[in-house]
Amino acid sequence: MNLRQFEVFHAIMRTGSVTGAARLLNVTQPSVSTVLKHCEAQLRFRLFNRVGGRLQPTPEALAMLPDIEAVFDRLAAVERLTQDLAGGRLGTLSVAAAFPIANSYLAQAVATFLVGRPGMRVALQSLNSPQVVDRVAAREVELGVVHEPVSRAEVETELLARTSIACVLPHAHPLAQRASVPVTALAGQPIITYLPQNIFRGYVDKALADAGVTPRIIAQVSVSLTGIVLAQHGAGIALVEPLMLRSLSFPELAARPLDPAITFDTVLVRPRGAPDSTMLERFVTHLRRTLVERDAGPH
């Protein structure tokens, strides 16, 4: 028996008639009768007897039914699987990101993406930017999210957002009363910023030098969160990326943009030439939507 014969047999068993089977399969009644006739000829025994206007299954048909129903149960399972895969409700997603990104809006996007997707699993790694790019280049993760610059032939990038260094300082600080902080206003202030080996330190140093400000740097940090915590405890003004300020609770602190702004790009990093899975396409769309909603919400 071929699969079409299985379908006709199963439909007749479910409906009890050729007419019902034709309606169920959305085909004509003669086509069902023809398939059934050919099937019985191949098998060399009858599958149904006509009793009182209905088809009565023979003992041979009843013996076959459990195995054929098992075939259709598996087909139904495959159909559900394909629907879940197409709908982005099932599968695995591996993402790596720079520490402040992974622990702020990316974690938020992953958490909200998982809602309604009980069959999905996510691996989210928090690393430094070079490590993220290495993982993507080695195809150990599907997607990376880092700050520019990225220069590896094995990967390709796509702009996700434009980010800025901000002044993170207590609400009670006089500079926090301004909508933005002129870089020149930082002269003489105790400054917390990145270690020289951090890629953002060059941006900060250039902005201060262009404004003619010789900074009074009292603390240097490797990650933004450490600078934010130092500012919370009164060490000084943190010139850092403020993502973690919005992701965690620091009610005593404010973030104010600098004037002129110190901006840089945040990019999505993928293995070069690798097609996106349906799951990844849907997640990237969701991530972008999360950023739009985040920027539109209260700061």
Side-chain angles (χ1 to χ4, degrees), residues 49 52 64 67 73 128 140 172 174 203 209 218 228 233 264 294 299:
N49 295 313
M64 292 167 52
D67 286 335
D73 286 344
N128 63 42
E140 295 175 10
Y203 293 103
I218 53 93
I228 291 170
H233 290 289
F264 46 91
R294 178 187 176 98
H299 289 252

Side-chain angles (χ1 to χ4, degrees), residues 10-288:
H10 192 242
I12 295 173
M13 292 294 287
R14 288 176 61 188
T15 63
S17 68
V18 170
T19 302
R23 188 179 303 113
L24 182 64
L25 297 174
N26 197 30
V27 297
T28 64
Q29 183 176 333
S31 67
V32 171
S33 298
T34 299
V35 171
L36 177 60
K37 181 179 178 180
H38 288 167
C39 182
E40 290 179 327
Q42 283 181 276
L43 294 172
R44 295 192 294 276
F45 57 77
R46 294 186 64 79
L47 291 171
F48 299 96
N49 295 313
R50 188 170 294 277
V51 178
R54 291 184 63 84
L55 294 180
Q56 184 73 40
T58 64
E60 291 82 359
L62 292 173
M64 292 167 52
L65 182 60
D67 286 335
I68 290 181
E69 282 188 332
V71 170
F72 282 92
D73 286 344
R74 293 304 305 151
L75 288 173
V78 171
E79 183 177 4
R80 290 192 297 272
L81 172 64
T82 58
Q83 289 173 348
D84 283 344
L85 289 171
R89 294 184 294 274
L90 188 68
T92 59
L93 184 66
S94 56
V95 185
F99 177 84
I101 299 171
N103 293 282
S104 56
Y105 60 79
L106 184 59
Q108 177 188 349
V110 167
T112 52
F113 192 68
L114 286 170
V115 174
R117 293 179 169 88
M120 182 183 169
R121 299 292 179 269
V122 177
L124 175 57
Q125 300 182 47
S126 176
L127 307 165
N128 63 42
S129 290
Q131 289 173 327
V132 171
V133 176
D134 286 344
R135 296 288 197 283
V136 176
R139 305 199 175 210
E140 295 175 10
V141 297
E142 295 175 83
L143 181 71
V145 190
V146 299
H147 303 300
E148 286 278 31
V150 175
S151 55
R152 287 284 294 272
E154 305 96 322
V155 303
E156 52 194 26
T157 62
E158 177 187 352
L159 179 65
L160 176 64
R162 183 146 289 168
T163 312
S164 300
I165 298 290
C167 281
V168 177
L169 67 177
H171 281 289
H173 196 288
L175 292 179
Q177 312 314 309
R178 304 186 182 208
S180 61
V181 176
V183 175
T184 53
L186 298 175
Q189 297 285 346
I191 299 298
I192 305 156
T193 194
Y194 299 102
L195 288 162
Q197 56 266 41
N198 188 292
I199 60 170
F200 296 140
R201 178 61 180 272
Y203 293 103
V204 172
D205 287 350
K206 183 177 186 304
L208 293 169
D210 289 347
V213 174
T214 301
R216 184 160 70 93
I217 297 176
I218 53 93
Q220 301 176 89
V221 298
S222 58
V223 295
S224 306
L225 180 59
T226 308
I228 291 170
V229 173
L230 286 170
Q232 182 185 33
H233 290 289
I237 297 173
L239 299 185
V240 295
E241 183 191 44
L243 280 176
M244 298 303 295
L245 187 66
R246 297 182 60 185
S247 301
L248 302 175
S249 179
F250 294 98
E252 303 91 349
L253 296 180
R256 298 291 179 261
L258 288 162
D259 182 17
I262 304 175
T263 60
F264 46 91
D265 290 337
T266 302
V267 295
L268 302 173
V269 186
R270 297 178 176 88
R272 185 172 297 279
D276 286 354
S277 65
T278 301
M279 179 76 75
L280 184 56
E281 288 179 354
R282 289 176 181 271
F283 176 72
V284 169
T285 299
H286 179 77
L287 175 59
R288 291 188 181 278

